[in-house]
Amino acid sequence: MFGPLNRRSVLTGIAGAAALGFVPTRFAIGQQAKIKVGLLLSHGGAYAGPGIGVTNGIKLALAERGGKIAGREVEFVMVDDESNPAKGPENTHRLVTGEKVDFLVGPVHSGVAMGMVKVARETEVLTIIPNAGFNAATGPLCAKNIFRTSFSNWQANAPMGKVAIDRGYKNVVTITWKYAAGEEMINAFVDRFTDLGGKVVKQMALPFPDTEFQAHLTEIASLKPDAVYAFFAGSGGSKFIKDYAAVGLKSIPLLGPGFLTDGVLPDYAEAAEGILTTLHYADALDNPENHKFRAAYKAAYGKEADFYAVQGYDAGQLMAVGLDAAKGDAAAKAAIIAAMEKAEIKSPRGTFTLSKSHNPIQDVYLRQVKGGKEVVLGVAQKAVNDPGTGCKIA
Ligand code: BEZ
C-alpha cells in the first residue's frame, strides 16, 4: 500500500543533492508549506460541545509545540459533519480530495465515521479518529492509515457489565439513541452483564438526536428495574439526566458510559448525583500529565477540559510522533505510520499504546458523581484492549 518508493525515499535522494549544493525548487517550497489538517467535526446540534472539545484539545497540543510540528506550521481546515451519516462520504471528500489535507481528524459521531472510514480507506489519507467509537473502524474496516485516540464502543461499555453484577443489580432496563454508537454500546454492556447472569428487562431506543424521553421514563417507573443503563451524550445526555431526576426516578440507580455525565457538571450537579459511569478518563485523575493539561486548557480557554478535549489533544500528540519521525514530510506515510504504531502517548488519561488494529489499549475507570464532582472510585478494568475482531492490517 505504501511502497518503498514514497516521497520520503525521494527526499533522501534530494538531501544528498542538497549536500552537493543543488536544491530543487519543489523541495524548498514543500518544506515551507504548512501541514494541512482537516477537522471533520460536529459544529451544531447535540454534538457541538464534543466538536469544540476535540478542536480545542488538538489546538492546545499544537500550541505547546510553538504552533509547529517538525519545524512546519500547521493549518486547520474545518468542515461541519452536521452529525449526518448520509453526508459522511461527501463531507470527507471536501477535505481529502477538495482541500487535499495531509491528515484527516474526525468525527464525533459513529454514523458519520462509517462513511468517513470508507473514504479514508479508498484514498489512504492519514486519519485519526478523536472520538467516534464505531467498532468496525478498528475492526473489520481497519486500515494501515486509520488510527484512533479515543475508544471503541465495546471498550467503554463492557466493563460496566461486571460492575453492575458486583453491585447486585439483576434486572436492568437499557435506553439509548438508535444509531451505531447507541446499539454497539448497549450490546457491549448487555453481553457482559447477561454472560455473568444479569437479565435485561427491556431495551428502549429513540431516533438520534430525539430528546422526548417522557414516555420511556414513565414506562421505566412502571417496570421498576434494579438499575437503568443509558447512553446519551452532549446536550442529549444533559437533558436525559435532568428529565430522569425530574420525574422522580432517582431511587433507581442510573448507570452508563461516562459520555452520559461528561460536560453536565456543574450545571446539572443535583440531577447527576450518584450516577455511576465507566470511561477511559476522569477529570480528577492524579497524574502529572493530567494536572498540566487541565491547567493549560483552563488558561487557554477559560473553562474546564472534558474528555473530548483529551482525545483531541492526544490526536495532536500522535500526529506529532508521526511527523517528527518523518522530519515533517507529510507524504512519507510509511515512516509516519510506523512511528505512530509504536507510539507511547503520555496522555492525561494515563500512558497508552495502540493495539494492532490502532485502537488505544487503556484503563477504564469507574466514576461516580458525588457532591457535585466526578469522583474516581477505581479502575473498572485494566488495560482494556478491543479485540479488533476482523481487522487485517497487512
Ligand atoms: C459516537 O457516536 O461514537 C459517540 C458520540 C458521542 C460520544 C461518544 C460516542
Side-chain angles (χ1 to χ4, degrees):
M1 180 155 40
F2 304 112
L5 190 64
N6 53 29
R7 189 162 165 247
R8 172 135 177 74
S9 42
V10 173
L11 278 180
T12 312
I14 291 170
L20 297 172
F22 167 66
V23 181
T25 322
R26 190 182 64 77
F27 177 56
I29 290 169
Q31 282 302 287
Q32 282 158 14
K34 291 180 182 172
I35 290 164
K36 226 175 181 185
V37 178
L39 297 183
L40 182 71
L41 296 165
S42 310
H43 294 186
Y47 289 167
I52 291 168
V54 168
T55 306
N56 288 348
I58 195 168
K59 289 190 172 171
L60 182 61
L62 180 65
E64 284 181 357
R65 287 164 177 78
K68 288 184 179 173
I69 299 182
R72 289 179 65 185
E73 283 179 31
V74 176
E75 174 189 1
F76 291 101
V77 188
M78 325 250 289
V79 164
D80 181 5
D81 68 22
E82 303 164 65
S83 296
N84 185 344
K87 291 193 181 167
E90 173 194 332
N91 282 328
T92 308
H93 269 300
R94 283 173 60 195
L95 289 168
V96 179
T97 44
E99 293 288 340
K100 300 200 173 8
V101 295
D102 297 306
F103 267 89
L104 173 65
V105 177
V108 171
H109 186 292
S110 277
V112 174
M114 288 181 187
M116 188 199 78
V117 160
K118 187 169 174 289
V119 177
R121 285 167 63 90
E122 283 163 9
T123 58
E124 298 183 354
V125 64
L126 292 166
T127 300
I128 302 178
I129 302 175
N131 186 68
F134 177 46
N135 287 333
T138 52
L141 298 180
C142 74
K144 197 88 182 129
N145 58 309
I146 301 176
F147 289 77
R148 180 146 58 194
T149 55
S150 52
F151 55 89
S152 75
N153 288 327
W154 174 86
Q155 190 176 38
N157 291 265
M160 187 60 99
K162 179 164 185 320
V163 173
I165 291 288
D166 290 347
R167 294 208 160 214
Y169 306 138
K170 294 190 176 70
N171 301 303
V172 164
V173 168
T174 68
I175 181 163
T176 188
W177 276 316
K178 195 170 176 43
Y179 82 101
E183 285 161 10
E184 291 181 348
M185 293 201 200
I186 297 297
N187 286 345
F189 166 77
V190 167
D191 286 352
R192 177 77 53 90
F193 179 63
T194 54
D195 278 356
L196 295 171
K199 191 166 166 249
V200 175
V201 183
K202 177 134 193 181
Q203 302 208 30
M204 302 175 173
L206 293 79
F208 176 87
D210 206 352
T211 54
E212 289 307 317
F213 301 119
Q214 203 61 38
H216 296 290
L217 295 174
T218 306
E219 194 182 350
I220 289 171
S222 70
L223 288 167
K224 298 191 179 50
D226 297 334
V228 171
Y229 190 79
F231 163 67
F232 297 103
S235 56
S238 314
K239 170 88 168 30
F240 181 76
I241 286 170
K242 198 169 73 142
D243 290 2
Y244 194 88
V247 299
L249 279 181
K250 283 206 64 77
S251 57
I252 303 178
L254 181 54
L255 324 175
F259 318 117
L260 187 64
T261 51
D262 244 73
V264 305
L265 301 174
D267 294 357
Y268 299 100
E270 209 177 308
E273 187 68 18
I275 299 177
L276 195 64
T277 58
T278 46
L279 199 68
H280 50 287
Y281 178 72
D283 298 357
L285 287 180
D286 187 13
N287 67 61
E289 286 78 20
N290 194 36
H291 294 309
K292 181 176 150 249
F293 166 76
R294 297 198 67 83
Y297 191 95
K298 186 131 196 220
Y301 303 109
K303 60 181 176 183
E304 295 296 336
D306 56 20
F307 79 92
Y308 299 107
V310 172
Q311 296 170 166
Y313 182 73
D314 290 341
Q317 296 209 72
L318 184 61
M319 191 184 303
V321 167
L323 284 166
D324 283 344
K327 299 194 171 37
D329 179 8
K333 289 187 184 180
I336 291 172
I337 288 168
M340 283 168 55
E341 283 179 334
K342 285 196 281 278
E344 252 193 32
I345 300 294
K346 290 202 180 318
S347 168
R349 75 188 83 173
T351 300
F352 71 86
T353 55
L354 293 164
S355 68
K356 285 202 174 75
S357 56
H358 298 173
N359 192 65
I361 301 170
Q362 55 195 342
D363 292 348
V364 170
Y365 303 98
L366 182 62
R367 313 130 29 110
Q368 189 165 35
V369 179
K370 283 187 181 179
K373 290 207 160 63
E374 193 83 71
V375 174
V376 185
L377 300 184
V379 176
Q381 194 177 330
K382 254 208 112 35
V384 186
N385 187 358
D386 183 287
T389 309
C391 170
K392 288 187 187 70
I393 292 182

